[in-house]
Amino acid sequence: MIKATYSDKEKIVDILTQSFSENKSVNYIINKSGVKDFRVRQLMSYSFEYCFLFGEVYFDPTKSGCALLMYPEKKKTNFKTVILDLKLMFLCVGLANLKNVLKREKIINIVHPTNQFTYLWYIGVLPKHQLKGIGTVLLKGINELSFKNNRPVYLETSTEKNFSWYEQNGYTIFKELQLPFPLHCYRSTF
């Protein structure tokens, strides 16, 4: 894996926007009015900023895929995070959808452990490069990094085709949450 720099933001946001534009969980939280791709891009920009502040961002060696890792215990509220949250609300979520976002976050946070862990917020590969092993290279790198740092990895996915992929790469489902769609919660088994 290659650690991204802040100057890589646009490339990371582009990969994630293309990867998650049809994702059930992403589309559940974005405002339904206006241009969807703009709102998804705003969500990915927000996520990059948060992970850059309180986690790490990585590319695969080809820079066709990326992963956003968050270390929840490092997360702190400050002026910058308040501005990011306001931008997210007005440019992505919308006031009418804020209730869905807060409900989703509350449900997810309840199932997270109280000890330190790595939160795999997003892992995505450009659609034209999917099914070539790029995501697997990233996931194995995340597993190695987390094992080395003695931090289990937690994630959620609503994408059915990824269920068996996570399981084949050392993850077990520990909870299924019900939103308007099933959201599977996984953790690493190492």
Side-chain angles (χ1 to χ4, degrees), residues 18-172:
Q18 289 186 50
S19 299
F20 286 87
S21 68
E22 300 304 319
N23 181 276
K24 291 176 193 174
S25 189
V26 166
N27 284 288
Y28 176 69
I29 66 170
I30 64 171
N31 185 334
K32 307 306 180 261
S33 67
V35 181
K36 181 177 84 169
D37 281 349
F38 170 80
R39 297 196 190 285
V40 173
R41 182 169 285 283
Q42 294 304 309
L43 175 61
M44 298 310 162
S45 177
Y46 169 87
S47 303
F48 174 89
E49 294 286 346
Y50 256 84
C51 287
F52 208 79
L53 288 169
F54 307 116
E56 297 176 302
V57 180
Y58 289 97
F59 279 116
D60 76 289
T62 69
K63 292 194 173 182
S64 300
C66 62
L68 272 61
L69 307 178
M70 175 76 83
Y71 303 125
E73 79 282 356
K74 293 183 178 184
K75 189 175 171 184
K76 307 236 183 312
T77 301
N78 58 40
F79 183 73
K80 183 169 183 161
T81 62
V82 170
I83 297 299
L84 287 170
D85 290 344
L86 288 172
K87 281 179 64 177
L88 179 72
M89 186 174 65
F90 288 110
L91 298 176
C92 177
V93 173
L95 289 173
N97 204 32
L98 187 58
K99 182 178 174 184
N100 284 344
V101 173
L102 294 174
K103 176 184 173 186
R104 181 187 178 281
E105 290 306 304
K106 181 179 179 182
I107 290 169
I108 289 171
N109 287 332
I110 288 172
V111 301
H112 284 169
T114 55
N115 58 320
Q116 291 186 354
F117 67 100
T118 299
Y119 181 57
L120 176 51
W121 198 352
Y122 290 102
I123 183 168
V125 176
L126 288 169
K128 67 182 179 181
H129 295 288
Q130 290 177 359
L131 303 174
K132 296 179 180 177
I134 293 168
T136 301
V137 167
L138 277 167
L139 195 56
K140 286 183 178 180
I142 292 163
N143 291 347
E144 289 170 13
L145 176 70
S146 296
F147 180 76
K148 182 178 113 184
N149 293 323
N150 198 28
R151 299 176 72 98
V153 181
Y154 282 72
L155 64 98
E156 300 85 34
T157 185
S158 60
T159 306
E160 291 178 33
K161 68 180 183 179
N162 290 343
F163 297 166
S164 63
W165 179 69
Y166 283 115
E167 291 162 13
Q168 291 166 5
N169 284 284
Y171 290 79
T172 57

Side-chain angles (χ1 to χ4, degrees), residues 2-13:
I2 302 166
K3 195 167 185 177
T5 65
Y6 195 82
S7 65
D8 294 317
K9 179 181 176 179
E10 287 308 310
K11 176 74 173 166
I12 298 286
V13 169

